Structure formats: C-alpha cells, structure tokens
Amino acid sequence: MMTLAIHDQRLAKPGPQNAALRDYDSVRRAIAFISENWRAQPTIEAMADAAGVTPDELHHLFRRWASITPKAFMQALTLDHAKGLLRDSASILDAALDSGLSGPGRLHDLFVTHEAMSPGEWKNGGAGLTLRYGFHPSPFGTAIVIATDRGLSGLAFADPGEEKIALADMTRRWPNATYVEDHEGTAPLAARIFDSKLWRPDQPLRVVLIGTDFEVRVWETLLKIPMGRAVSYSDIACNISNPKASRAVGAAVGRNPVSFVVPCHRALGKSGTLTGYHWGITRKQAMLGWEAGRVGVQ
C-alpha cells in the first residue's frame, strides 16, 4: 500500500506567483496564440495582446525567459523549423557517446549521469523505496521534483491549481513507494536542473531511471539527443535495434518519468510534427523554443 505524506497547503495554488511562474504564464498564452496563427505571421502587438502584456513587456519577457525575440520564438514553432531539427537525426544517435551527454561541443547540454534500478524494484511498484518530492518554480510552470537517495527519479510539470493532479500522476507510477514532502531537500535539484550556470560536467546530475528494460533503453537513447536537435520515434527504434517498434517507443517516451532532463520533448513525428506530450503540447513547444534561444534558432 502506498504511503503518501502530503500537506494540502503545499498543493494549493500559490498566492503571489514567483517571477518564473508569472513569466511562463504569459509565455503559455503567447505560445497558444502563435501556434494557431503563425502562418499569418502575427505582429508583436497581436502576440502581446494575446499574452496580456504590452509589446515592450512581451519583448523583454522573451529576452528574459529564453534569450530570444518573440519573432525568433515564432520561427522556432514552425513546422519548417521542426523539420530542420530532424536533419540527420539517425546519424546524431549513431555518433552520440554511449555515456549520453557531455560530448565535445555540447556546451549547452544539461550534464547527466544515470543508472537504472533493478527490474525487481520496478516490478514491485517501488516497494521499499522512499521518494522525496517538492514543488518548485521553473521556466515551464511548477515543477514537481522527486528524488531517491541515489538521485533524481521524477520530474513533472503543472499549471497553477493542477499541482495535486500532477503529483498523483507521478505517484501512480510507483504505487508501493513511500512519498515524503521535502521542499528543502529537493530545492538543490531544481536549481541544478533549471539554472544553466550549474550545468557542469564535473558535477553531473545523478538520475535514477525506474522502468522496464525496454523503457530504460528508450530513455537512455533520449539522453543522447543534443539540445537544439530532435529525432524521430523510428530513429529511436532503430537505435535500440528494434526498427519495427516505433509505436512502442512512442509509448515509452510518453511514460518518461524525468521530463526535460531526459528530453522526451526532443522526440518528434517523422514529418516534424509535434506529437503528443504527457505534460501538454504547449509545454513541449515552450521547451523547444526555450532551447532554441540557447543554441540560436537555426
């Protein structure tokens, strides 16, 4: 039986929003508008109106949030850009270091070292595990950070008022674990994930992958994708020597418990389409646009 120690007030919608959450709330509205209207190349005034800010505020918002202009961000959301991300996606995986991140020239990557829990630990639904969790502001809404003593094991996202739902979604993955709220204990992990100044190869982020053998192989493949690029589900299937398993790969990508860090948002349809994302297509677009600002829109 799952043991879950939760204080309801931690899950309630926060009062004065953290600046990062305010930024993302405006960005989320802008993304929704741009996604529906990018073919018409809307003006910055129209985008600002949709986001509920002035044009100057929108310009500064995107500069602050993603080091990118609203116009460049709009470019990053186009299908043509997505297709560009997929260029040579198969060779990207073929050339990636077996260890995942930290390859030469990958200065924008979030350096990660990972291990997989035993199949028995997954099969038992996390029985005997104590998972600590905390809610933290992030560039993509409220982040739910979940950790074991061995490292980060879960990362989810929620819009205001949906924190409890997102936490419940995560706890269902390992129903027999014990969950303890630990905001202070998980805060350093949240900082390490979202503050690019802390992305250091000499201090890699430890990640523990809890899933089936097939899922872990898919997630390890995701870790090979550099920031600013993307791969197709079929390329992932080929990389794990199971070229007919594209559908199963898609399901495994959707069950990735460590969003953003294990970059499932960099997996696209073969034509460049932004297929489903567990935490919402808008958030997937936000992550790709945010990363485009750090590597330069191609």
Side-chain angles (χ1 to χ4, degrees), residues 130-172:
T130 296
L131 298 178
R132 298 173 292 108
Y133 69 90
F135 299 89
H136 304 277
S138 85
F140 314 111
T142 298
I144 297 93
V145 177
I146 300 176
T148 73
D149 291 338
R150 291 151 65 177
L152 178 73
S153 57
L155 180 61
F157 295 95
D159 292 325
E162 297 180 356
E163 295 88 349
K164 188 172 184 178
I165 296 172
L167 177 63
D169 180 292
M170 295 299 287
T171 59
R172 282 194 294 268

mmCIF file of all heavy atoms in Angstrom, residues 130-172:
data_model
loop_
_atom_site.group_PDB
_atom_site.id
_atom_site.type_symbol
_atom_site.label_atom_id
_atom_site.label_comp_id
_atom_site.label_asym_id
_atom_site.label_seq_id
_atom_site.Cartn_x
_atom_site.Cartn_y
_atom_site.Cartn_z
ATOM 1 N N THR A 130 11.776 5.073 -0.595
ATOM 2 C CA THR A 130 11.279 6.342 -0.075
ATOM 3 C C THR A 130 11.598 7.417 -1.100
ATOM 4 O O THR A 130 12.764 7.637 -1.442
ATOM 5 C CB THR A 130 11.936 6.698 1.271
ATOM 6 O OG1 THR A 130 11.570 5.715 2.241
ATOM 7 C CG2 THR A 130 11.467 8.072 1.750
ATOM 8 N N LEU A 131 10.543 8.038 -1.630
ATOM 9 C CA LEU A 131 10.695 9.072 -2.642
ATOM 10 C C LEU A 131 10.337 10.422 -2.030
ATOM 11 O O LEU A 131 9.242 10.600 -1.496
ATOM 12 C CB LEU A 131 9.795 8.780 -3.848
ATOM 13 C CG LEU A 131 10.100 7.480 -4.598
ATOM 14 C CD1 LEU A 131 9.104 7.277 -5.731
ATOM 15 C CD2 LEU A 131 11.517 7.489 -5.148
ATOM 16 N N ARG A 132 11.266 11.357 -2.071
ATOM 17 C CA ARG A 132 11.051 12.703 -1.563
ATOM 18 C C ARG A 132 10.620 13.609 -2.710
ATOM 19 O O ARG A 132 11.097 13.457 -3.826
ATOM 20 C CB ARG A 132 12.332 13.240 -0.916
ATOM 21 C CG ARG A 132 12.808 12.433 0.284
ATOM 22 C CD ARG A 132 14.167 12.887 0.790
ATOM 23 N NE ARG A 132 15.244 12.590 -0.150
ATOM 24 C CZ ARG A 132 15.884 13.483 -0.878
ATOM 25 N NH1 ARG A 132 15.570 14.782 -0.780
ATOM 26 N NH2 ARG A 132 16.842 13.130 -1.706
ATOM 27 N N TYR A 133 9.710 14.523 -2.432
ATOM 28 C CA TYR A 133 9.229 15.391 -3.512
ATOM 29 C C TYR A 133 9.079 16.823 -3.020
ATOM 30 O O TYR A 133 8.963 17.100 -1.819
ATOM 31 C CB TYR A 133 7.882 14.889 -4.066
ATOM 32 C CG TYR A 133 6.723 15.043 -3.101
ATOM 33 C CD1 TYR A 133 5.958 16.212 -3.097
ATOM 34 C CD2 TYR A 133 6.411 14.052 -2.192
ATOM 35 C CE1 TYR A 133 4.910 16.375 -2.218
ATOM 36 C CE2 TYR A 133 5.370 14.206 -1.300
ATOM 37 C CZ TYR A 133 4.612 15.363 -1.314
ATOM 38 O OH TYR A 133 3.575 15.529 -0.427
ATOM 39 N N GLY A 134 9.094 17.740 -3.982
ATOM 40 C CA GLY A 134 8.887 19.152 -3.672
ATOM 41 C C GLY A 134 8.371 19.874 -4.899
ATOM 42 O O GLY A 134 8.579 19.428 -6.036
ATOM 43 N N PHE A 135 7.691 20.984 -4.688
ATOM 44 C CA PHE A 135 7.150 21.820 -5.758
ATOM 45 C C PHE A 135 8.049 23.051 -5.907
ATOM 46 O O PHE A 135 8.320 23.740 -4.926
ATOM 47 C CB PHE A 135 5.720 22.259 -5.436
ATOM 48 C CG PHE A 135 4.760 21.109 -5.296
ATOM 49 C CD1 PHE A 135 4.559 20.495 -4.063
ATOM 50 C CD2 PHE A 135 4.062 20.623 -6.399
ATOM 51 C CE1 PHE A 135 3.691 19.433 -3.936
ATOM 52 C CE2 PHE A 135 3.184 19.568 -6.278
ATOM 53 C CZ PHE A 135 2.995 18.973 -5.047
ATOM 54 N N HIS A 136 8.465 23.325 -7.149
ATOM 55 C CA HIS A 136 9.428 24.404 -7.372
ATOM 56 C C HIS A 136 9.087 25.173 -8.645
ATOM 57 O O HIS A 136 8.622 24.582 -9.627
ATOM 58 C CB HIS A 136 10.847 23.826 -7.486
ATOM 59 C CG HIS A 136 11.258 23.018 -6.305
ATOM 60 N ND1 HIS A 136 11.759 23.586 -5.147
ATOM 61 C CD2 HIS A 136 11.211 21.677 -6.082
ATOM 62 C CE1 HIS A 136 12.015 22.627 -4.269
ATOM 63 N NE2 HIS A 136 11.703 21.465 -4.804
ATOM 64 N N PRO A 137 9.311 26.489 -8.652
ATOM 65 C CA PRO A 137 9.085 27.267 -9.871
ATOM 66 C C PRO A 137 10.103 26.872 -10.936
ATOM 67 O O PRO A 137 11.245 26.509 -10.620
ATOM 68 C CB PRO A 137 9.277 28.717 -9.422
ATOM 69 C CG PRO A 137 10.162 28.625 -8.214
ATOM 70 C CD PRO A 137 9.791 27.340 -7.536
ATOM 71 N N SER A 138 9.691 26.932 -12.192
ATOM 72 C CA SER A 138 10.591 26.601 -13.294
ATOM 73 C C SER A 138 10.204 27.429 -14.510
ATOM 74 O O SER A 138 9.147 28.071 -14.519
ATOM 75 C CB SER A 138 10.490 25.107 -13.632
ATOM 76 O OG SER A 138 9.419 24.856 -14.529
ATOM 77 N N PRO A 139 11.015 27.410 -15.562
ATOM 78 C CA PRO A 139 10.647 28.144 -16.787
ATOM 79 C C PRO A 139 9.424 27.566 -17.482
ATOM 80 O O PRO A 139 8.914 28.166 -18.422
ATOM 81 C CB PRO A 139 11.896 27.998 -17.675
ATOM 82 C CG PRO A 139 12.997 27.633 -16.754
ATOM 83 C CD PRO A 139 12.362 26.844 -15.669
ATOM 84 N N PHE A 140 8.939 26.411 -17.029
ATOM 85 C CA PHE A 140 7.833 25.733 -17.701
ATOM 86 C C PHE A 140 6.672 25.446 -16.753
ATOM 87 O O PHE A 140 5.953 24.474 -16.904
ATOM 88 C CB PHE A 140 8.340 24.423 -18.324
ATOM 89 C CG PHE A 140 9.631 24.598 -19.069
ATOM 90 C CD1 PHE A 140 10.809 24.040 -18.590
ATOM 91 C CD2 PHE A 140 9.682 25.352 -20.230
ATOM 92 C CE1 PHE A 140 12.006 24.227 -19.254
ATOM 93 C CE2 PHE A 140 10.873 25.550 -20.906
ATOM 94 C CZ PHE A 140 12.035 24.987 -20.420
ATOM 95 N N GLY A 141 6.476 26.321 -15.792
ATOM 96 C CA GLY A 141 5.424 26.131 -14.810
ATOM 97 C C GLY A 141 5.968 25.495 -13.542
ATOM 98 O O GLY A 141 7.183 25.331 -13.376
ATOM 99 N N THR A 142 5.075 25.119 -12.642
ATOM 100 C CA THR A 142 5.508 24.482 -11.405
ATOM 101 C C THR A 142 6.100 23.114 -11.706
ATOM 102 O O THR A 142 5.478 22.294 -12.385
ATOM 103 C CB THR A 142 4.333 24.314 -10.427
ATOM 104 O OG1 THR A 142 3.832 25.607 -10.090
ATOM 105 C CG2 THR A 142 4.774 23.600 -9.153
ATOM 106 N N ALA A 143 7.302 22.859 -11.194
ATOM 107 C CA ALA A 143 7.964 21.568 -11.375
ATOM 108 C C ALA A 143 7.782 20.738 -10.120
ATOM 109 O O ALA A 143 7.941 21.234 -9.007
ATOM 110 C CB ALA A 143 9.449 21.767 -11.659
ATOM 111 N N ILE A 144 7.421 19.474 -10.304
ATOM 112 C CA ILE A 144 7.358 18.521 -9.197
ATOM 113 C C ILE A 144 8.617 17.673 -9.290
ATOM 114 O O ILE A 144 8.789 16.893 -10.230
ATOM 115 C CB ILE A 144 6.098 17.641 -9.244
ATOM 116 C CG1 ILE A 144 4.843 18.493 -9.107
ATOM 117 C CG2 ILE A 144 6.127 16.599 -8.130
ATOM 118 C CD1 ILE A 144 4.240 18.928 -10.415
ATOM 119 N N VAL A 145 9.527 17.862 -8.349
ATOM 120 C CA VAL A 145 10.813 17.174 -8.337
ATOM 121 C C VAL A 145 10.726 16.010 -7.354
ATOM 122 O O VAL A 145 10.346 16.190 -6.198
ATOM 123 C CB VAL A 145 11.953 18.128 -7.926
ATOM 124 C CG1 VAL A 145 13.285 17.392 -7.837
ATOM 125 C CG2 VAL A 145 12.051 19.282 -8.929
ATOM 126 N N ILE A 146 11.074 14.804 -7.818
ATOM 127 C CA ILE A 146 11.005 13.596 -6.994
ATOM 128 C C ILE A 146 12.390 12.952 -6.981
ATOM 129 O O ILE A 146 13.029 12.810 -8.033
ATOM 130 C CB ILE A 146 9.957 12.610 -7.542
ATOM 131 C CG1 ILE A 146 8.575 13.270 -7.548
ATOM 132 C CG2 ILE A 146 9.924 11.330 -6.711
ATOM 133 C CD1 ILE A 146 7.483 12.406 -8.157
ATOM 134 N N ALA A 147 12.841 12.543 -5.804
ATOM 135 C CA ALA A 147 14.204 12.028 -5.696
ATOM 136 C C ALA A 147 14.287 10.862 -4.728
ATOM 137 O O ALA A 147 13.491 10.739 -3.785
ATOM 138 C CB ALA A 147 15.147 13.138 -5.234
ATOM 139 N N THR A 148 15.252 9.985 -4.983
ATOM 140 C CA THR A 148 15.654 8.968 -4.026
ATOM 141 C C THR A 148 17.012 9.392 -3.477
ATOM 142 O O THR A 148 17.587 10.393 -3.901
ATOM 143 C CB THR A 148 15.798 7.584 -4.692
ATOM 144 O OG1 THR A 148 16.981 7.589 -5.502
ATOM 145 C CG2 THR A 148 14.592 7.250 -5.555
ATOM 146 N N ASP A 149 17.538 8.593 -2.560
ATOM 147 C CA ASP A 149 18.866 8.892 -2.038
ATOM 148 C C ASP A 149 19.931 8.755 -3.120
ATOM 149 O O ASP A 149 21.045 9.264 -2.973
ATOM 150 C CB ASP A 149 19.198 7.950 -0.873
ATOM 151 C CG ASP A 149 18.348 8.251 0.353
ATOM 152 O OD1 ASP A 149 17.839 9.383 0.448
ATOM 153 O OD2 ASP A 149 18.200 7.347 1.198
ATOM 154 N N ARG A 150 19.591 8.078 -4.221
ATOM 155 C CA ARG A 150 20.555 7.829 -5.287
ATOM 156 C C ARG A 150 20.489 8.882 -6.382
ATOM 157 O O ARG A 150 21.346 8.900 -7.273
ATOM 158 C CB ARG A 150 20.320 6.426 -5.871
ATOM 159 C CG ARG A 150 20.698 5.323 -4.897
ATOM 160 C CD ARG A 150 19.894 4.060 -5.091
ATOM 161 N NE ARG A 150 20.137 3.401 -6.368
ATOM 162 C CZ ARG A 150 19.574 2.245 -6.709
ATOM 163 N NH1 ARG A 150 18.741 1.639 -5.855
ATOM 164 N NH2 ARG A 150 19.832 1.693 -7.874
ATOM 165 N N GLY A 151 19.482 9.761 -6.366
ATOM 166 C CA GLY A 151 19.420 10.804 -7.378
ATOM 167 C C GLY A 151 18.002 11.133 -7.797
ATOM 168 O O GLY A 151 17.017 10.617 -7.243
ATOM 169 N N LEU A 152 17.876 11.993 -8.795
ATOM 170 C CA LEU A 152 16.587 12.420 -9.323
ATOM 171 C C LEU A 152 15.881 11.233 -9.967
ATOM 172 O O LEU A 152 16.447 10.532 -10.802
ATOM 173 C CB LEU A 152 16.807 13.517 -10.368
ATOM 174 C CG LEU A 152 15.559 14.056 -11.077
ATOM 175 C CD1 LEU A 152 14.747 14.940 -10.140
ATOM 176 C CD2 LEU A 152 15.964 14.848 -12.329
ATOM 177 N N SER A 153 14.622 11.013 -9.606
ATOM 178 C CA SER A 153 13.879 9.887 -10.174
ATOM 179 C C SER A 153 12.600 10.327 -10.866
ATOM 180 O O SER A 153 11.986 9.535 -11.587
ATOM 181 C CB SER A 153 13.539 8.859 -9.090
ATOM 182 O OG SER A 153 12.799 9.466 -8.037
ATOM 183 N N GLY A 154 12.184 11.567 -10.657
ATOM 184 C CA GLY A 154 10.964 12.029 -11.300
ATOM 185 C C GLY A 154 10.957 13.537 -11.451
ATOM 186 O O GLY A 154 11.458 14.270 -10.587
ATOM 187 N N LEU A 155 10.416 14.009 -12.577
ATOM 188 C CA LEU A 155 10.245 15.438 -12.809
ATOM 189 C C LEU A 155 8.988 15.620 -13.643
ATOM 190 O O LEU A 155 8.892 15.101 -14.762
ATOM 191 C CB LEU A 155 11.455 16.032 -13.534
ATOM 192 C CG LEU A 155 11.379 17.532 -13.840
ATOM 193 C CD1 LEU A 155 11.276 18.347 -12.555
ATOM 194 C CD2 LEU A 155 12.597 17.978 -14.657
ATOM 195 N N ALA A 156 8.020 16.328 -13.084
ATOM 196 C CA ALA A 156 6.746 16.576 -13.758
ATOM 197 C C ALA A 156 6.475 18.074 -13.735
ATOM 198 O O ALA A 156 7.168 18.840 -13.044
ATOM 199 C CB ALA A 156 5.623 15.813 -13.066
ATOM 200 N N PHE A 157 5.444 18.490 -14.467
ATOM 201 C CA PHE A 157 5.106 19.910 -14.551
ATOM 202 C C PHE A 157 3.605 20.107 -14.380
ATOM 203 O O PHE A 157 2.804 19.235 -14.734
ATOM 204 C CB PHE A 157 5.553 20.495 -15.892
ATOM 205 C CG PHE A 157 7.040 20.484 -16.067
ATOM 206 C CD1 PHE A 157 7.668 19.436 -16.736
ATOM 207 C CD2 PHE A 157 7.822 21.499 -15.543
ATOM 208 C CE1 PHE A 157 9.040 19.410 -16.886
ATOM 209 C CE2 PHE A 157 9.198 21.478 -15.685
ATOM 210 C CZ PHE A 157 9.811 20.435 -16.363
ATOM 211 N N ALA A 158 3.248 21.268 -13.845
ATOM 212 C CA ALA A 158 1.836 21.566 -13.619
ATOM 213 C C ALA A 158 1.579 23.046 -13.809
ATOM 214 O O ALA A 158 2.431 23.883 -13.500
ATOM 215 C CB ALA A 158 1.420 21.140 -12.210
ATOM 216 N N ASP A 159 0.386 23.353 -14.307
ATOM 217 C CA ASP A 159 -0.075 24.738 -14.344
ATOM 218 C C ASP A 159 -0.711 25.066 -12.999
ATOM 219 O O ASP A 159 -1.017 24.165 -12.209
ATOM 220 C CB ASP A 159 -1.087 24.911 -15.482
ATOM 221 C CG ASP A 159 -0.434 24.758 -16.845
ATOM 222 O OD1 ASP A 159 0.733 25.168 -16.983
ATOM 223 O OD2 ASP A 159 -1.084 24.216 -17.768
ATOM 224 N N PRO A 160 -0.906 26.343 -12.676
ATOM 225 C CA PRO A 160 -1.471 26.716 -11.372
ATOM 226 C C PRO A 160 -2.782 25.989 -11.084
ATOM 227 O O PRO A 160 -3.671 25.911 -11.938
ATOM 228 C CB PRO A 160 -1.693 28.227 -11.510
ATOM 229 C CG PRO A 160 -0.658 28.664 -12.493
ATOM 230 C CD PRO A 160 -0.553 27.535 -13.481
ATOM 231 N N GLY A 161 -2.867 25.415 -9.901
ATOM 232 C CA GLY A 161 -4.067 24.698 -9.489
ATOM 233 C C GLY A 161 -4.076 23.223 -9.847
ATOM 234 O O GLY A 161 -4.954 22.483 -9.421
ATOM 235 N N GLU A 162 -3.075 22.781 -10.636
ATOM 236 C CA GLU A 162 -3.045 21.387 -11.077
ATOM 237 C C GLU A 162 -1.895 20.602 -10.443
ATOM 238 O O GLU A 162 -1.587 19.485 -10.858
ATOM 239 C CB GLU A 162 -2.925 21.330 -12.602
ATOM 240 C CG GLU A 162 -4.123 21.953 -13.317
ATOM 241 C CD GLU A 162 -3.999 21.895 -14.824
ATOM 242 O OE1 GLU A 162 -2.939 21.443 -15.312
ATOM 243 O OE2 GLU A 162 -4.950 22.292 -15.512
ATOM 244 N N GLU A 163 -1.289 21.167 -9.402
ATOM 245 C CA GLU A 163 -0.152 20.513 -8.776
ATOM 246 C C GLU A 163 -0.521 19.139 -8.194
ATOM 247 O O GLU A 163 0.230 18.169 -8.328
ATOM 248 C CB GLU A 163 0.431 21.401 -7.668
ATOM 249 C CG GLU A 163 1.028 22.705 -8.170
ATOM 250 C CD GLU A 163 0.014 23.841 -8.265
ATOM 251 O OE1 GLU A 163 -1.213 23.565 -8.140
ATOM 252 O OE2 GLU A 163 0.439 24.994 -8.451
ATOM 253 N N LYS A 164 -1.673 19.070 -7.564
ATOM 254 C CA LYS A 164 -2.090 17.814 -6.931
ATOM 255 C C LYS A 164 -2.307 16.725 -7.972
ATOM 256 O O LYS A 164 -1.966 15.557 -7.757
ATOM 257 C CB LYS A 164 -3.360 18.046 -6.120
ATOM 258 C CG LYS A 164 -3.777 16.857 -5.259
ATOM 259 C CD LYS A 164 -4.933 17.235 -4.344
ATOM 260 C CE LYS A 164 -5.279 16.074 -3.422
ATOM 261 N NZ LYS A 164 -6.386 16.430 -2.479
ATOM 262 N N ILE A 165 -2.873 17.103 -9.121
ATOM 263 C CA ILE A 165 -3.117 16.137 -10.192
ATOM 264 C C ILE A 165 -1.791 15.608 -10.734
ATOM 265 O O ILE A 165 -1.628 14.402 -10.970
ATOM 266 C CB ILE A 165 -3.937 16.792 -11.326
ATOM 267 C CG1 ILE A 165 -5.330 17.182 -10.812
ATOM 268 C CG2 ILE A 165 -4.049 15.867 -12.526
ATOM 269 C CD1 ILE A 165 -6.130 18.015 -11.803
ATOM 270 N N ALA A 166 -0.831 16.504 -10.940
ATOM 271 C CA ALA A 166 0.467 16.093 -11.470
ATOM 272 C C ALA A 166 1.191 15.176 -10.490
ATOM 273 O O ALA A 166 1.817 14.180 -10.892
ATOM 274 C CB ALA A 166 1.321 17.320 -11.774
ATOM 275 N N LEU A 167 1.112 15.486 -9.205
ATOM 276 C CA LEU A 167 1.750 14.628 -8.206
ATOM 277 C C LEU A 167 1.100 13.246 -8.200
ATOM 278 O O LEU A 167 1.786 12.218 -8.154
ATOM 279 C CB LEU A 167 1.674 15.265 -6.824
ATOM 280 C CG LEU A 167 2.260 14.411 -5.690
ATOM 281 C CD1 LEU A 167 3.749 14.173 -5.908
ATOM 282 C CD2 LEU A 167 2.021 15.072 -4.332
ATOM 283 N N ALA A 168 -0.230 13.202 -8.256
ATOM 284 C CA ALA A 168 -0.928 11.920 -8.270
ATOM 285 C C ALA A 168 -0.536 11.097 -9.491
ATOM 286 O O ALA A 168 -0.379 9.868 -9.406
ATOM 287 C CB ALA A 168 -2.442 12.145 -8.236
ATOM 288 N N ASP A 169 -0.369 11.760 -10.624
ATOM 289 C CA ASP A 169 0.064 11.075 -11.842
ATOM 290 C C ASP A 169 1.408 10.393 -11.616
ATOM 291 O O ASP A 169 1.624 9.243 -12.022
ATOM 292 C CB ASP A 169 0.165 12.089 -12.988
ATOM 293 C CG ASP A 169 0.600 11.478 -14.302
ATOM 294 O OD1 ASP A 169 1.767 11.050 -14.391
ATOM 295 O OD2 ASP A 169 -0.219 11.426 -15.240
ATOM 296 N N MET A 170 2.316 11.088 -10.952
ATOM 297 C CA MET A 170 3.639 10.522 -10.715
ATOM 298 C C MET A 170 3.597 9.386 -9.701
ATOM 299 O O MET A 170 4.261 8.364 -9.874
ATOM 300 C CB MET A 170 4.597 11.615 -10.244
ATOM 301 C CG MET A 170 4.865 12.701 -11.286
ATOM 302 S SD MET A 170 5.639 12.070 -12.799
ATOM 303 C CE MET A 170 7.308 11.754 -12.222
ATOM 304 N N THR A 171 2.824 9.543 -8.650
ATOM 305 C CA THR A 171 2.804 8.504 -7.614
ATOM 306 C C THR A 171 2.186 7.203 -8.127
ATOM 307 O O THR A 171 2.513 6.125 -7.627
ATOM 308 C CB THR A 171 2.049 8.983 -6.365
ATOM 309 O OG1 THR A 171 0.696 9.323 -6.704
ATOM 310 C CG2 THR A 171 2.736 10.186 -5.739
ATOM 311 N N ARG A 172 1.320 7.298 -9.125
ATOM 312 C CA ARG A 172 0.743 6.069 -9.683
ATOM 313 C C ARG A 172 1.777 5.214 -10.396
ATOM 314 O O ARG A 172 1.573 4.013 -10.593
ATOM 315 C CB ARG A 172 -0.390 6.421 -10.652
ATOM 316 C CG ARG A 172 -1.690 6.805 -9.971
ATOM 317 C CD ARG A 172 -2.854 6.808 -10.947
ATOM 318 N NE ARG A 172 -2.704 7.846 -11.964
ATOM 319 C CZ ARG A 172 -3.198 9.071 -11.842
ATOM 320 N NH1 ARG A 172 -3.861 9.419 -10.739
ATOM 321 N NH2 ARG A 172 -3.045 9.957 -12.814
#
